[in-house]
Amino acid sequence: MSTPQPADLAPGTSAPLTRLRLDLSYDGTGFHGWATQPGQRTVQGELEQALSRIARIPVQVTVAGRTDAGVHARGQVCHLDLPGPVLATIPGRSDRAPADALVTRLVGLLPEDVVVHAAREVPAAFDARFGALRRRYRYRISDSPARHDPLRRDVLRHRWELDVEAMARASQALLGEHDFLSFCKPREGATTIRALEQLEWERPGPGRADESLVVATVVADAFCHHMVRSLVGTLLPVGEGRKGEDWPAQVLAARTRQSSTRTTTGAAPLCPPQGLTLDHVEYPADADLADQARAARVLRG
């Protein structure tokens, strides 16, 4: 979807478009990922269906980060464009602002595993995908039967106890700007160079959120397909003691999509999706939105 300018009009009408930002969360367990796919239940499919029913016109959304099947989100962001007259009908007979009324109406149409927390009008230069400065993911692991909570569906149950300190040390070599080809499923014509700002591991103590779990916090300007799950998948054997702390650096340097052999280091292993959550997406100030979106489009090819 192109970034509209303030004078852009709804197709086939003389009505100007208004851009809305939605902040949402979802439990990814029952979804075949974010992106719409024929015959599959997806987050985008459910959201666009609900929005189209409210607006009474087809609605498409652009998302900050497409999540895989089984991956969750607490801080997902997307945007959509609606003609002014359509937006004005959303409150009905109430005196609520259209964006506030949209959130309330979505409660009655969306399934229980998707929640839109907030909606607001944003400048036309806002782009949920290309305008983001950075994304933060968290991956949660339960590595002991004593810590397993059957009520949590956002945690990976792991069979072996992990050495969190070794994983943290091994992660340091992955920080900074690199070609993460060994950790990504590349998209034709796009770069696999990313700037990894943070890859930290901890086991929160008593009284803290996620007490006794193993939690990875991963922050970058952007991620390519499968990158976070591959980063975690590469660190797990280190935590188990099956690989040395220098192994993630070897995987990075290999820059390959080929599998490992007895004599060569191959692409990173992929960990399961259920422990992964998109936690937060950060955007610049409104005055810098257009510049950030232009720069990101050039950088991503």
Side-chain angles (χ1 to χ4, degrees):
M1 182 183 295
S2 62
T3 301
Q5 299 304 310
D8 276 358
L9 304 179
T13 77
S14 58
L17 291 170
T18 297
R19 178 153 290 190
L20 296 176
R21 166 179 167 164
L22 303 184
D23 291 79
L24 64 151
S25 301
Y26 47 86
D27 175 355
T29 306
F31 291 105
H32 201 77
W34 165 269
T36 300
Q37 301 177 55
Q40 301 288 352
R41 183 173 186 258
T42 69
V43 183
Q44 183 181 12
E46 294 283 356
L47 180 59
E48 289 183 346
Q49 180 180 1
L51 289 167
S52 297
R53 287 184 62 184
I54 294 171
R56 298 183 182 180
I57 60 171
V59 176
Q60 292 182 320
V61 299
T62 297
V63 73
R66 293 185 178 188
T67 48
D68 295 336
V71 175
H72 319 286
R74 282 193 175 89
Q76 182 68 278
V77 178
C78 65
H79 77 252
L80 64 143
D81 297 314
L82 290 177
V86 172
L87 191 64
T89 66
I90 291 177
R93 297 180 179 179
S94 75
D95 58 358
R96 294 175 298 172
D100 295 336
L102 180 62
V103 173
T104 303
R105 295 186 64 179
L106 283 169
V107 171
L109 293 176
L110 287 172
E112 291 185 352
D113 44 5
V114 183
V115 178
V116 172
H117 301 289
R120 61 185 176 92
E121 296 185 18
V122 290
F126 178 86
D127 188 299
R129 179 187 176 193
F130 289 106
L133 288 173
R134 55 186 55 86
R135 286 106 168 144
R136 182 177 72 225
Y137 283 85
R138 286 204 166 95
Y139 198 100
R140 295 171 172 88
I141 305 168
S142 172
D143 61 344
S144 167
R147 304 179 183 110
H148 294 340
D149 181 352
L151 299 182
R152 290 197 64 165
R153 303 205 291 183
D154 62 338
V155 177
L156 174 71
R157 291 175 61 167
H158 194 66
R159 294 176 60 187
W160 297 282
E161 189 161 347
L162 298 169
D163 184 339
V164 176
E165 288 74 21
M167 297 164 76
R169 289 191 296 267
S171 298
Q172 295 303 303
L174 304 177
L175 297 177
E177 185 174 270
H178 305 284
D179 186 344
F180 283 94
L181 176 62
S182 296
F183 297 85
C184 297
K185 183 178 180 181
R187 183 169 56 87
E188 185 177 355
T191 181
T192 51
I193 295 175
R194 295 291 188 270
L196 185 61
E197 300 178 11
Q198 182 180 356
L199 177 52
E200 296 183 352
W201 294 86
E202 65 172 336
R203 192 187 296 275
R208 294 182 58 196
D210 300 320
E211 177 180 336
S212 298
L213 298 177
V214 175
V215 182
T217 300
V218 191
V219 179
D221 57 341
F223 295 92
C224 42
H225 194 199
H226 288 166
M227 181 173 166
V228 180
R229 290 172 58 194
S230 295
L231 290 167
V232 174
T234 303
L235 273 300
L236 285 177
V238 176
E240 296 165 2
R242 295 189 293 110
K243 293 287 188 180
E245 294 180 18
D246 60 343
W247 188 60
Q250 295 174 23
V251 175
L252 178 67
R255 294 186 62 250
T256 181
R257 294 306 308 158
Q258 302 301 313
S259 299
S260 297
T261 68
R262 281 186 171 184
T263 58
T264 63
T265 301
L270 189 66
C271 70
Q274 61 264 35
L276 183 59
T277 300
L278 174 59
D279 201 55
H280 179 70
V281 184
E282 181 181 345
Y283 293 91
D286 287 353
D288 300 321
L289 286 169
D291 289 342
Q292 170 62 23
R294 279 193 295 269
R297 283 190 173 89
V298 172
L299 184 63
R300 305 294 162 226

